[in-house]
């Protein structure tokens, strides 16, 4: 009997997360789509996963809430004894942009909580299974902002920068168990998260002259999740059209 392979994509109902879920489905994974509030979008993403030739399920929890994250993951594991979520894509994140002098604490903390605490809250409960199985792929969706910093995004840059450093540290801890940990750092990608940005002006800054597509990011994630990437770990791979190298 062929082994069932499971992947969890946080923030998987829209944008890059949805594209990643669909791409992993094409590679034969059963995809767990995490979401918090937009159930309709999550159901649409699940339907797209099924149209891609695989199956999946919705798993609702707030990645910023450690108890809720642990409870949801434990509930899934209880329903699937002996099964392992072997691919984790930490994609959930938000932007609350503002200049630091005008940024309130809530906007600082929420961005940090979802991206950075979210990484901890979803990764730690899954590590034991990956380690026991001696195989795993953890792929963190970082950002150009986490590499170079962006004015007006001190909170977002701090969160993504922290995620990059955590990627490098965890990679060293578990490499001997055949588990890789990598980060993907997109530049400007055409999703609903970037709809409010002045795209005409920003395109002039990008050497390739365009925003990237979520599917292009998903292809990179799928490669990092594959056996072909087994000797790549602790890396941060930019996908930004040449904007920053």
């Amino acid at each position: 009997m062929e082994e069932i392979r499971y992947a969890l994509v946080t923030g998987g109902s829209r944008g890059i997360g949805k594209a990643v879920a669909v791409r992993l489905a094409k590679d034969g994974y059963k995809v767990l789509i995490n979401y918090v509030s937009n159930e309709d979008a999550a159901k649409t993403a699940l339907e797209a996963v099924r149209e891609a030739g695989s199956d999946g399920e919705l798993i609702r929890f707030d990645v910023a809430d450690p108890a809720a994250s642990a409870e949801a993951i434990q509930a899934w594991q209880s329903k699937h004894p002996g099964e392992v979520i072997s691919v984790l894509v930490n994609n959930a994140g938000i932007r609350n942009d503002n200049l630091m002098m005008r940024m309130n604490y809530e906007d600082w903390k929420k961005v940090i909580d979802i991206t950075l605490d979210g990484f901890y809250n979803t990764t730690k409960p899954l590590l034991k299974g990956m380690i026991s199985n001696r195989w795993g792929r953890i792929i963190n969706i970082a950002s150009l902002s986490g590499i170079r910093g962006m004015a007006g995004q001190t909170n977002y840059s701090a969160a993504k920068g922290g995620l990059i450093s955590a990627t490098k540290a965890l990679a060293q801890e578990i490499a001997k168990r055949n588990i890789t940990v990598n980060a993907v750092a997109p530049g400007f990608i055409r999703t609903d998260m970037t709809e409010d940005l002045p795209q005409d002006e920003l395109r002039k800054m990008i050497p390739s002259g365009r925003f990237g597509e979520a599917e292009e990011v998903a292809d990179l994630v799928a490669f990092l999740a594959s056996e072909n990437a087994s000797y790549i770990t602790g890396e941060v791979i930019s996908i930004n059209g040449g904007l920053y190298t």
Side-chain angles (χ1 to χ4, degrees), residues 77-88:
Q77 291 172 332
S78 297
K79 292 179 182 177
H80 300 80
E83 303 288 359
V84 175
I85 297 172
S86 57
V87 172
L88 169 62

Side-chain angles (χ1 to χ4, degrees), residues 31-189:
V31 184
L32 283 65
I33 297 172
N34 160 258
Y35 74 104
V36 178
S37 58
N38 194 335
E39 186 172 0
D40 288 340
K43 288 180 177 178
T44 298
L46 180 57
E47 187 58 37
V49 161
R50 290 170 175 159
E51 290 173 359
S54 187
D55 202 355
E57 56 191 284
L58 304 182
I59 180 167
R60 182 176 184 175
F61 63 90
D62 181 356
V63 299
D65 184 330
S69 301
E71 182 179 345
I73 291 170
Q74 180 59 52
W76 184 90
Q77 291 172 332
S78 297
K79 292 179 182 177
H80 300 80
E83 303 288 359
V84 175
I85 297 172
S86 57
V87 172
L88 169 62
V89 182
N90 285 304
N91 168 74
I94 62 166
R95 284 174 44 227
N96 276 328
D97 297 349
N98 211 335
L99 296 175
M100 183 71 168
M101 64 182 294
R102 298 174 183 165
M103 185 180 296
N104 61 46
Y105 178 70
E106 289 72 24
D107 286 345
W108 168 270
K109 183 167 173 55
K110 190 170 184 180
V111 170
I112 298 290
D113 285 354
I114 292 175
T115 294
L116 207 47
D117 287 7
F119 159 78
Y120 174 87
N121 293 337
T122 54
T123 303
K124 187 174 184 294
L126 297 179
L127 278 179
K128 185 177 180 180
M130 290 184 187
I131 289 170
S132 297
N133 202 39
R134 298 189 68 86
W135 198 94
R137 298 287 187 264
I138 299 168
I139 301 148
N140 301 316
I141 305 301
S143 170
L144 170 66
S145 297
I147 298 174
R148 61 168 286 183
M150 297 285 280
Q153 289 191 333
T154 306
N155 50 359
Y156 191 70
S157 297
K160 295 299 188 179
L163 185 62
I164 286 170
S165 294
T167 296
K168 294 180 178 183
L170 181 59
Q172 295 175 60
E173 293 180 11
I174 56 179
K176 289 183 179 179
R177 295 289 183 171
N178 201 26
I179 304 168
T180 66
V181 189
N182 291 290
V184 171
F188 293 110
I189 306 298

Side-chain angles (χ1 to χ4, degrees), residues 5-25:
R5 300 184 300 165
Y6 292 94
L8 168 61
V9 182
T10 68
S13 64
R14 296 181 297 173
I16 290 173
K18 178 182 177 182
V20 168
V22 171
R23 183 64 178 79
L24 291 176

